[in-house]
Amino acid sequence: MSVLGAPTAKEKKYDRQLRLWGAGGQEALERAHILLINATAAGTETLKNLVLPGIGRFTIIDDAVVKDEDLGSNFFLDDSSIGLPRAKKACELLCELNPDVQGDYIDDNITNLIQSSPEKLEDFTTIIVTGDVPVSTILSLDSLLYPTDIPVFVLKCVGFTMTCRLALSEHTIVESHPESTVDLRLLKPFAELVALYEEKAANMDDKEKMSTHDHGHIPYVIILLKALDDWRSTHNGNVPSNYREKNEFKSFLRGKMWNADEENFEEAIAAVLPYFNPPSIPSATREIFEDEKCDKLVSGSSDFWIIARAIKEFTYNMNDGLLPLPGALPDMKAESKDYIRLQNVYKSKARTDLASVMGVVRTLLPGLGRDPNSISESDVETFCKHAGYAKLLRGRSLKDEYEDSPKVKTISNELSDPTSLIHYYLGLRAYEMFISEESNSGHVPPGTEDSTAESDAEKLDQYVKMLLDKLNITHSAELLEGTSKAVREIVRVGGGELHNISSLAGGLVAQEIIKVITKQYIPMNNTVVFDGISSRSQVYEL
Amino acid sequence: MARMGSAAGRNKSVKRSLGPLHAVIQQSKVLMVGAGGIGCELLKNLVLTGFGEVHIVDLDTIDLSNLNRQFLFGRQHIKKSKALVAKETASKFNPNVSLVAYHANIKDSQFNVEWFRGFDIVFNALDNLDARRHVNQMCLAANVPLVESGTTGFNGQVQVIAKGVTECYDCTTKPVPKSFPVCTIRSTPSQPIHCIVWAKSYLFNELFGASEDDSAEFDHSEDAENGITSCVAVKAQEIKNLRQEAAELKRIRETMGQPEFAENIFEKVFNKDIIRLAEMKDMWKTRKAPNPLSFKYISAEIEDKAVPTSDQKIWTLAENYLVFADSLDRLSKRILEDKKAGKDVILSFDKDDEDTLDFVAASANIRSHIFGIATQSKFDIKQMAGNIIPAIATTNAITAGLCVTQAFKVLKKKLSDARMVFLSMSGDRGLTTESLRPPNPSCQVCGVARLDFECDTKATTLEEFKEKVLQGVFGYSESISLIHEKLIYDEDYDDNLASSFAQLGIKDGSFLTVIDESDDDADRRVNFIFQIKERPQGESDTPFVTPTRFEIPKRPAQPPSLDSLVLTGKDHSSNGTIPSKDGEVSRKRKADDELTGDNEHEPHKKVKAANDVIVIDDGFIEID
């Protein structure tokens, strides 16, 4: 029997996540093709968390064969995998998770691929680097991919420690999912709102003309607008602007109550601090408006920049410096019919603003060689609703971090704090130097042999000092106590992975990847460090 | 066939990472309650880390909508037991771990205090408040450490609970189930959720299910703590009218299967009842009166229109009618077929049952239209009616990983290093880590005295227990109350004194609570819970083993204010995560929703909107 309007099996399977990122986010996931470099435990766990919600495709590149110890940390390898190519076996088990996802593998190492056919890398939409990859290879990947806007996630997971670094030159987010998009325009009400409050609040202070019941049901937005009007007339036309004046204004409101239990007035008083801000353009939005890409649209400009430009023009040329109204109204004590009317005033202003922005978009498009209708109204509407919450992230390349402009200040500031997680970052940078040594052609991790563990640790200590010297950061044994401890913790596990930490890392990284792919929510910019011993994490821009 | 991996090779990394703790873990016996989103992740972690013996309890079966995260299950497992399939799948990944699965309710009597005592640590991977509280209580009774966890969308949290050392799950108040006054639902809806609750809990049940009076969704109690406003001012006449309406609807139910069934219902609930409601002028003095819809009008509207197929688009009135009539037809056929087969002829609402969801969505929207309330898409109605919480693999993975790091601290006996960890979407931090807090001295669950009490429940009478044990050994006065599921004794209620424990329903595994009711505040002792252990009376035995006296602590003089606890952000919704802006959306115009009239206090009913809390996140209403 046909079920009418029934969601498809796919929609049912993904129902719980569609409620977070919607159909648009899901489509973006389904277009994604992800490359995993090395099927480590953290790597396969990351892929697991992407295969389950239904990315389009993934490819694993790895030239390792499966060993006994892989089975102790990697869920996507089993007894029958021993001695076989790790890329192939992990791919097989990951494919079992979701028949809608296509999985492939390359039984080779990434360094070879970069040398033989670097152009192949551009087939992927996101790249995850894990395992013991030498610095030179990571930097080659960076120089190939950073200019292309293909995000690279470098994930290091050793024992209880992990770091994840996102390298992406530009990332734009419209749907940042703020807690609320409410903008009441109290200090700069538009004409229709003025007309409404003048009508509804005319008798707010007149017990002869307004019943107690009606007075207790004036929506708080109307109360505030009317009270502001009264305030201005006794304050040279000014509105309460600082904390003290806002508190005075609260008392002023209290004085307008007819009895102590008027909930609507209490709501008005509570709204003074959060909503009495002069309308301004948030700095994140201003950054977008001021970006060169917004000013200089070209035929290849993305829809984001075209809509941003239209909103900018609307804001400065047509709307007195105000962003388009999002149109949302919080719930409040009121009679239903008044609430609905107030809601309609906000909604219709939002629609008018949207129509104006849409008009600008349509006039911009032909100049860029595009059909004036090639950007949908719903995309413009989403942007208008989020105009004050949109975000532009300008990333830093790995070359910036390693060579061109290291964040010296961040590192030196953190270094003096013995509990800072920067010590683990430095420890893992030293680990990376160890496996990248020319004499260590097999990229063998420090601490692999118990007998050389202490000498390996001392070597890492030396690498940390070399790194700091290169950055001109002064150090001392005392300052490096935390780093030295981190180094020993890292060396202790001999490059091994602990499954629950890899699994947690896989969750953290996949979550960031989903944010980047769906262009929703704000990703961590750009390095997250997690320590499983203290269960703490920290984000640094490095 | 490739060779099998050696245990030594397999354990190499984990042994190096954990050191001496690894041996402890291999010897440990752990319990995991719940094999859903967190459970699948956690079981994988426990198996690969090498926990010696893992017991899994879950009552639930596998559903298609689980597969986006519960990776131990595949399509071929739909409708099978989560616990059993999880065991089956996970056991392949480490032959050195022994797994025991129970497809059962953790509240079953087989899982008694003695059974809980057999574990070194318990993990809660649950999705509901009731089971969480139960396991919390059992772990306190058995003195076994508990790792409690929960997720909602991108948010998650992990907390270690150890008796007497840390807060327990009930040391802080939890949001209570959201409910609405019955008059709002039946007479004066002002929001979409009111119409959805009406369609789901009233109309659907009257037509296809257990009718209002038997339905669990209707809360008859007067528990003011639930934050429910009652319809204090409902007139006797209105109550009578509502009963009358329900009775009429029952009569129409009898005409199911006849061609005019849809018309009859439509005319009744969207026309006749609304006309009657609109005539109550008092009710509409301060709000807009509803506009009845006639079947004639709607049938003219629907000419040549097709039944809508999108669940994300908001349907027009005509489309809503088409879905209403069509789903009514589908549901009627099911009932009639069942009836023919002589089967149970009651349907219940299930968000994943398209027929029931279509009916509720369309009916709710038609009612919204009548009351001038914004209509909703089926997708959104499903969320509101079905108490759906968004859930994804990533959050579960992070949370389950943290559960294991906390378990390491517990097994190392380093509780002072254990932490409470929150994760949220904030891009600047990732995790928030806090020290565990000490028990709340006023907690009614962990701030109590406990004792294992061995007795023959058939031979022990309440009177003997009270005199010989409570007064004789522990020196209680006459001012006490005794509670087992309900009040069984107090100074003014001694009817049960002659009854045996067994006659009062007290059996092996039961808890019997003694509340000190002395007048003097300073003397009042904390509640005392007797954990009953059955011990059949031998020939020359006494009916019970007389316990040794010990000092029962006094109740703290000044219980800390609950506000201070809530303000620190430690209040978790039933799904175990960080607080919601609970219910604000629907309570603001509450006073306005109450019927005005005289002050005749009539017995009032409350309708529960959902089984659990409502969380508002970015415009979505999430109901657990």
Side-chain angles (χ1 to χ4, degrees), chain A residues 365-413:
Chain A
L365 284 168
L368 304 167
R370 286 179 59 176
D371 181 328
N373 295 313
S374 59
I375 292 182
S376 75
E377 187 170 282
S378 74
D379 285 352
V380 178
E381 185 180 6
T382 306
F383 208 145
C384 284
K385 278 190 179 151
H386 291 86
Y389 309 92
K391 192 148 174 76
L392 164 70
L393 288 183
R394 287 253 177 256
R396 283 167 47 82
S397 69
L398 292 164
K399 193 156 174 283
D400 288 336
E401 178 188 348
Y402 280 63
E403 291 167 1
D404 296 351
S405 60
K407 289 276 188 173
V408 175
K409 214 167 157 201
T410 307
I411 296 171
S412 64
N413 284 347

Short mmCIF file of all heavy atoms in Angstrom, two decimals, chain A residues 365-413:
data_model
loop_
_atom_site.label_atom_id
_atom_site.label_comp_id
_atom_site.label_asym_id
_atom_site.label_seq_id
_atom_site.Cartn_x
_atom_site.Cartn_y
_atom_site.Cartn_z
N LEU A 365 23.58 39.75 -10.69
CA LEU A 365 23.92 38.52 -11.41
C LEU A 365 24.25 38.70 -12.90
O LEU A 365 25.26 38.18 -13.37
CB LEU A 365 22.83 37.46 -11.21
CG LEU A 365 22.87 36.78 -9.83
CD1 LEU A 365 21.61 35.98 -9.58
CD2 LEU A 365 24.10 35.89 -9.70
N PRO A 366 23.42 39.47 -13.65
CA PRO A 366 23.74 39.59 -15.08
C PRO A 366 25.13 40.16 -15.32
O PRO A 366 25.85 39.72 -16.23
CB PRO A 366 22.66 40.53 -15.60
CG PRO A 366 21.54 40.41 -14.63
CD PRO A 366 22.19 40.18 -13.31
N GLY A 367 25.56 41.10 -14.47
CA GLY A 367 26.89 41.69 -14.60
C GLY A 367 28.00 40.66 -14.43
O GLY A 367 29.14 40.90 -14.81
N LEU A 368 27.67 39.53 -13.79
CA LEU A 368 28.67 38.48 -13.56
C LEU A 368 28.50 37.35 -14.58
O LEU A 368 29.05 36.26 -14.43
CB LEU A 368 28.52 37.92 -12.14
CG LEU A 368 28.60 38.95 -11.02
CD1 LEU A 368 28.12 38.37 -9.69
CD2 LEU A 368 30.02 39.49 -10.88
N GLY A 369 27.67 37.66 -15.59
CA GLY A 369 27.47 36.66 -16.64
C GLY A 369 26.55 35.53 -16.20
O GLY A 369 26.63 34.42 -16.71
N ARG A 370 25.69 35.82 -15.22
CA ARG A 370 24.80 34.75 -14.74
C ARG A 370 23.34 35.15 -14.91
O ARG A 370 22.99 36.32 -14.92
CB ARG A 370 25.08 34.44 -13.26
CG ARG A 370 26.38 33.69 -13.06
CD ARG A 370 26.66 33.42 -11.61
NE ARG A 370 25.60 32.63 -10.95
CZ ARG A 370 25.68 32.22 -9.69
NH1 ARG A 370 26.74 32.49 -8.96
NH2 ARG A 370 24.69 31.53 -9.16
N ASP A 371 22.50 34.12 -15.02
CA ASP A 371 21.06 34.30 -15.09
C ASP A 371 20.60 35.03 -13.81
O ASP A 371 21.00 34.64 -12.70
CB ASP A 371 20.43 32.90 -15.17
CG ASP A 371 18.91 32.95 -15.29
OD1 ASP A 371 18.29 33.88 -14.73
OD2 ASP A 371 18.36 32.05 -15.94
N PRO A 372 19.77 36.08 -13.94
CA PRO A 372 19.34 36.81 -12.73
C PRO A 372 18.59 35.92 -11.73
O PRO A 372 18.45 36.28 -10.56
CB PRO A 372 18.44 37.92 -13.26
CG PRO A 372 18.17 37.60 -14.69
CD PRO A 372 19.26 36.69 -15.17
N ASN A 373 18.07 34.79 -12.19
CA ASN A 373 17.34 33.91 -11.27
C ASN A 373 18.17 32.71 -10.81
O ASN A 373 17.62 31.73 -10.31
CB ASN A 373 16.05 33.43 -11.92
CG ASN A 373 15.10 34.60 -12.16
OD1 ASN A 373 14.89 35.43 -11.27
ND2 ASN A 373 14.60 34.70 -13.37
N SER A 374 19.48 32.79 -11.00
CA SER A 374 20.28 31.60 -10.70
C SER A 374 20.61 31.45 -9.21
O SER A 374 21.23 30.48 -8.81
CB SER A 374 21.56 31.59 -11.53
OG SER A 374 22.32 32.75 -11.26
N ILE A 375 20.19 32.42 -8.40
CA ILE A 375 20.32 32.21 -6.94
C ILE A 375 18.91 32.16 -6.37
O ILE A 375 18.10 33.07 -6.63
CB ILE A 375 21.14 33.33 -6.29
CG1 ILE A 375 22.60 33.23 -6.76
CG2 ILE A 375 21.08 33.23 -4.76
CD1 ILE A 375 23.53 34.26 -6.14
N SER A 376 18.59 31.10 -5.63
CA SER A 376 17.20 30.92 -5.19
C SER A 376 16.86 31.86 -4.04
O SER A 376 17.72 32.26 -3.26
CB SER A 376 16.98 29.48 -4.74
OG SER A 376 17.57 29.29 -3.47
N GLU A 377 15.57 32.19 -3.99
CA GLU A 377 15.11 33.08 -2.93
C GLU A 377 15.34 32.44 -1.57
O GLU A 377 15.64 33.13 -0.60
CB GLU A 377 13.63 33.42 -3.11
CG GLU A 377 13.20 34.47 -2.11
CD GLU A 377 11.80 35.02 -2.38
OE1 GLU A 377 11.68 35.87 -3.29
OE2 GLU A 377 10.86 34.60 -1.69
N SER A 378 15.22 31.12 -1.50
CA SER A 378 15.37 30.51 -0.17
C SER A 378 16.82 30.65 0.32
O SER A 378 17.05 30.80 1.53
CB SER A 378 14.90 29.05 -0.18
OG SER A 378 15.83 28.24 -0.84
N ASP A 379 17.80 30.60 -0.59
CA ASP A 379 19.19 30.83 -0.15
C ASP A 379 19.37 32.26 0.35
O ASP A 379 20.06 32.50 1.35
CB ASP A 379 20.17 30.58 -1.31
CG ASP A 379 20.35 29.09 -1.58
OD1 ASP A 379 19.83 28.28 -0.78
OD2 ASP A 379 21.00 28.75 -2.59
N VAL A 380 18.76 33.20 -0.37
CA VAL A 380 18.87 34.61 0.05
C VAL A 380 18.17 34.80 1.39
O VAL A 380 18.66 35.49 2.28
CB VAL A 380 18.30 35.54 -1.04
CG1 VAL A 380 18.37 37.00 -0.58
CG2 VAL A 380 19.04 35.35 -2.35
N GLU A 381 17.03 34.14 1.55
CA GLU A 381 16.27 34.25 2.80
C GLU A 381 17.10 33.72 3.98
O GLU A 381 17.16 34.35 5.05
CB GLU A 381 14.96 33.48 2.68
CG GLU A 381 14.08 33.68 3.91
CD GLU A 381 12.76 32.93 3.81
OE1 GLU A 381 12.57 32.15 2.84
OE2 GLU A 381 11.93 33.11 4.72
N THR A 382 17.72 32.57 3.77
CA THR A 382 18.54 32.00 4.84
C THR A 382 19.66 32.98 5.23
O THR A 382 19.92 33.20 6.42
CB THR A 382 19.17 30.67 4.37
OG1 THR A 382 18.12 29.83 3.91
CG2 THR A 382 19.90 29.97 5.49
N PHE A 383 20.29 33.57 4.23
CA PHE A 383 21.37 34.53 4.52
C PHE A 383 20.81 35.76 5.23
O PHE A 383 21.40 36.24 6.21
CB PHE A 383 22.08 34.91 3.21
CG PHE A 383 23.53 35.31 3.41
CD1 PHE A 383 24.48 35.00 2.44
CD2 PHE A 383 23.95 36.00 4.54
CE1 PHE A 383 25.81 35.37 2.60
CE2 PHE A 383 25.28 36.36 4.71
CZ PHE A 383 26.21 36.05 3.74
N CYS A 384 19.68 36.28 4.77
CA CYS A 384 19.10 37.46 5.43
C CYS A 384 18.82 37.17 6.90
O CYS A 384 19.09 38.00 7.77
CB CYS A 384 17.79 37.87 4.74
SG CYS A 384 18.08 38.71 3.17
N LYS A 385 18.27 35.99 7.18
CA LYS A 385 17.96 35.63 8.57
C LYS A 385 19.22 35.53 9.42
O LYS A 385 19.19 35.72 10.63
CB LYS A 385 17.23 34.28 8.63
CG LYS A 385 15.76 34.41 8.35
CD LYS A 385 15.05 33.11 8.65
CE LYS A 385 13.56 33.27 8.38
NZ LYS A 385 12.91 32.03 7.97
N HIS A 386 20.33 35.15 8.78
CA HIS A 386 21.57 34.95 9.52
C HIS A 386 22.59 36.05 9.29
O HIS A 386 23.76 35.88 9.63
CB HIS A 386 22.21 33.61 9.13
CG HIS A 386 21.42 32.41 9.59
ND1 HIS A 386 20.39 31.88 8.86
CD2 HIS A 386 21.51 31.66 10.71
CE1 HIS A 386 19.88 30.85 9.51
NE2 HIS A 386 20.54 30.70 10.64
N ALA A 387 22.13 37.17 8.70
CA ALA A 387 23.11 38.20 8.31
C ALA A 387 23.99 38.62 9.49
O ALA A 387 25.17 38.89 9.33
CB ALA A 387 22.38 39.40 7.71
N GLY A 388 23.43 38.66 10.69
CA GLY A 388 24.21 39.08 11.84
C GLY A 388 25.01 37.94 12.48
O GLY A 388 25.66 38.14 13.49
N TYR A 389 24.91 36.76 11.90
CA TYR A 389 25.56 35.58 12.50
C TYR A 389 26.46 34.84 11.52
O TYR A 389 27.03 33.81 11.85
CB TYR A 389 24.50 34.63 13.07
CG TYR A 389 23.53 35.34 13.96
CD1 TYR A 389 22.33 35.87 13.45
CD2 TYR A 389 23.83 35.56 15.31
CE1 TYR A 389 21.46 36.58 14.26
CE2 TYR A 389 22.96 36.26 16.12
CZ TYR A 389 21.78 36.77 15.60
OH TYR A 389 20.92 37.47 16.40
N ALA A 390 26.53 35.36 10.27
CA ALA A 390 27.37 34.71 9.27
C ALA A 390 28.82 34.87 9.66
O ALA A 390 29.18 35.77 10.44
CB ALA A 390 27.10 35.31 7.90
N LYS A 391 29.66 33.99 9.13
CA LYS A 391 31.06 34.06 9.54
C LYS A 391 31.99 33.68 8.40
O LYS A 391 31.70 32.81 7.59
CB LYS A 391 31.27 33.10 10.72
CG LYS A 391 32.61 33.30 11.39
CD LYS A 391 32.53 32.98 12.88
CE LYS A 391 33.88 33.04 13.55
NZ LYS A 391 34.37 34.39 13.79
N LEU A 392 33.10 34.41 8.36
CA LEU A 392 34.15 34.11 7.40
C LEU A 392 35.38 33.69 8.19
O LEU A 392 35.81 34.40 9.10
CB LEU A 392 34.46 35.39 6.60
CG LEU A 392 35.78 35.40 5.82
CD1 LEU A 392 35.73 34.43 4.64
CD2 LEU A 392 36.07 36.82 5.31
N LEU A 393 35.90 32.50 7.86
CA LEU A 393 37.16 32.08 8.50
C LEU A 393 38.25 32.13 7.46
O LEU A 393 38.15 31.51 6.41
CB LEU A 393 37.05 30.65 9.04
CG LEU A 393 36.20 30.36 10.27
CD1 LEU A 393 36.32 28.89 10.65
CD2 LEU A 393 36.62 31.23 11.44
N ARG A 394 39.30 32.88 7.77
CA ARG A 394 40.48 32.85 6.91
C ARG A 394 41.50 32.00 7.66
O ARG A 394 41.93 32.36 8.76
CB ARG A 394 41.02 34.27 6.71
CG ARG A 394 40.14 35.10 5.80
CD ARG A 394 40.81 35.29 4.45
NE ARG A 394 39.94 36.02 3.55
CZ ARG A 394 39.26 35.44 2.55
NH1 ARG A 394 39.36 34.14 2.35
NH2 ARG A 394 38.50 36.16 1.77
N GLY A 395 41.84 30.88 7.06
CA GLY A 395 42.71 29.94 7.76
C GLY A 395 44.17 30.27 7.62
O GLY A 395 44.55 31.33 7.09
N ARG A 396 45.00 29.38 8.14
CA ARG A 396 46.45 29.50 8.00
C ARG A 396 46.97 28.18 7.45
O ARG A 396 46.54 27.10 7.85
CB ARG A 396 47.10 29.80 9.35
CG ARG A 396 46.94 31.28 9.76
CD ARG A 396 47.30 31.53 11.22
NE ARG A 396 48.55 30.92 11.64
CZ ARG A 396 49.77 31.44 11.42
NH1 ARG A 396 49.91 32.58 10.76
NH2 ARG A 396 50.84 30.82 11.85
N SER A 397 47.89 28.27 6.51
CA SER A 397 48.43 27.05 5.93
C SER A 397 49.40 26.41 6.92
O SER A 397 49.86 27.05 7.88
CB SER A 397 49.16 27.37 4.63
OG SER A 397 50.33 28.10 4.93
N LEU A 398 49.74 25.15 6.67
CA LEU A 398 50.72 24.49 7.51
C LEU A 398 52.09 25.14 7.32
O LEU A 398 52.90 25.19 8.24
CB LEU A 398 50.76 23.00 7.17
CG LEU A 398 49.48 22.27 7.59
CD1 LEU A 398 49.36 20.92 6.91
CD2 LEU A 398 49.44 22.09 9.10
N LYS A 399 52.31 25.64 6.12
CA LYS A 399 53.57 26.33 5.86
C LYS A 399 53.65 27.59 6.73
O LYS A 399 54.72 27.92 7.25
CB LYS A 399 53.66 26.68 4.37
CG LYS A 399 55.02 27.11 3.90
CD LYS A 399 55.16 26.87 2.40
CE LYS A 399 56.45 27.41 1.85
NZ LYS A 399 56.46 28.87 1.67
N ASP A 400 52.53 28.27 6.87
CA ASP A 400 52.50 29.43 7.78
C ASP A 400 52.92 29.00 9.19
O ASP A 400 53.73 29.65 9.84
CB ASP A 400 51.08 30.02 7.88
CG ASP A 400 50.66 30.75 6.62
OD1 ASP A 400 51.55 31.20 5.87
OD2 ASP A 400 49.43 30.85 6.38
N GLU A 401 52.32 27.90 9.64
CA GLU A 401 52.56 27.44 11.00
C GLU A 401 54.00 26.95 11.20
O GLU A 401 54.63 27.24 12.22
CB GLU A 401 51.58 26.30 11.35
CG GLU A 401 51.79 25.71 12.74
CD GLU A 401 50.94 24.47 12.99
OE1 GLU A 401 50.02 24.19 12.18
OE2 GLU A 401 51.21 23.78 13.98
N TYR A 402 54.52 26.21 10.22
CA TYR A 402 55.82 25.58 10.38
C TYR A 402 56.98 26.51 10.00
O TYR A 402 58.04 26.43 10.58
CB TYR A 402 55.91 24.31 9.53
CG TYR A 402 55.25 23.10 10.15
CD1 TYR A 402 53.88 23.09 10.39
CD2 TYR A 402 55.98 21.96 10.47
CE1 TYR A 402 53.26 21.98 10.93
CE2 TYR A 402 55.35 20.83 11.02
CZ TYR A 402 53.99 20.85 11.24
OH TYR A 402 53.39 19.76 11.79
N GLU A 403 56.75 27.32 8.96
CA GLU A 403 57.89 28.06 8.41
C GLU A 403 57.70 29.57 8.31
O GLU A 403 58.50 30.33 8.81
CB GLU A 403 58.24 27.49 7.01
CG GLU A 403 58.81 26.09 7.11
CD GLU A 403 58.89 25.37 5.79
OE1 GLU A 403 58.51 25.98 4.76
OE2 GLU A 403 59.32 24.21 5.78
N ASP A 404 56.62 29.99 7.65
CA ASP A 404 56.54 31.40 7.28
C ASP A 404 56.19 32.33 8.42
O ASP A 404 56.79 33.39 8.56
CB ASP A 404 55.53 31.58 6.13
CG ASP A 404 55.99 30.88 4.87
OD1 ASP A 404 57.15 30.41 4.86
OD2 ASP A 404 55.21 30.78 3.91
N SER A 405 55.17 31.98 9.20
CA SER A 405 54.78 32.91 10.28
C SER A 405 54.25 32.15 11.48
O SER A 405 53.08 32.20 11.82
CB SER A 405 53.70 33.87 9.76
OG SER A 405 52.56 33.14 9.33
N PRO A 406 55.14 31.41 12.15
CA PRO A 406 54.69 30.65 13.33
C PRO A 406 54.10 31.58 14.40
O PRO A 406 54.51 32.74 14.50
CB PRO A 406 55.98 29.99 13.84
CG PRO A 406 56.99 30.16 12.77
CD PRO A 406 56.59 31.33 11.94
N LYS A 407 53.17 31.06 15.16
CA LYS A 407 52.52 31.87 16.20
C LYS A 407 53.39 31.86 17.46
O LYS A 407 53.09 31.18 18.45
CB LYS A 407 51.14 31.29 16.50
CG LYS A 407 50.14 31.51 15.39
CD LYS A 407 49.50 32.89 15.49
CE LYS A 407 48.37 33.02 14.49
NZ LYS A 407 47.62 34.27 14.65
N VAL A 408 54.44 32.63 17.39
CA VAL A 408 55.44 32.65 18.45
C VAL A 408 54.83 33.08 19.78
O VAL A 408 55.06 32.48 20.83
CB VAL A 408 56.60 33.60 18.05
CG1 VAL A 408 57.58 33.74 19.20
CG2 VAL A 408 57.27 33.09 16.79
N LYS A 409 54.01 34.12 19.71
CA LYS A 409 53.47 34.69 20.94
C LYS A 409 52.55 33.71 21.66
O LYS A 409 52.63 33.54 22.88
CB LYS A 409 52.71 35.97 20.61
CG LYS A 409 52.83 36.98 21.71
CD LYS A 409 52.37 38.34 21.28
CE LYS A 409 51.99 39.13 22.51
NZ LYS A 409 51.09 40.23 22.19
N THR A 410 51.67 33.07 20.88
CA THR A 410 50.75 32.10 21.48
C THR A 410 51.55 31.02 22.21
O THR A 410 51.27 30.69 23.37
CB THR A 410 49.90 31.42 20.38
OG1 THR A 410 49.28 32.43 19.60
CG2 THR A 410 48.85 30.50 20.97
N ILE A 411 52.56 30.48 21.52
CA ILE A 411 53.32 29.39 22.11
C ILE A 411 54.09 29.86 23.34
O ILE A 411 54.06 29.21 24.39
CB ILE A 411 54.27 28.78 21.06
CG1 ILE A 411 53.44 28.15 19.92
CG2 ILE A 411 55.19 27.73 21.69
CD1 ILE A 411 54.23 27.71 18.73
N SER A 412 54.74 31.02 23.24
CA SER A 412 55.55 31.44 24.39
C SER A 412 54.67 31.79 25.59
O SER A 412 55.03 31.51 26.73
CB SER A 412 56.50 32.59 24.02
OG SER A 412 55.74 33.71 23.67
N ASN A 413 53.50 32.36 25.34
CA ASN A 413 52.59 32.66 26.46
C ASN A 413 52.14 31.38 27.16
O ASN A 413 52.09 31.32 28.39
CB ASN A 413 51.33 33.39 25.96
CG ASN A 413 51.61 34.83 25.65
OD1 ASN A 413 52.67 35.36 26.02
ND2 ASN A 413 50.70 35.48 24.96
#
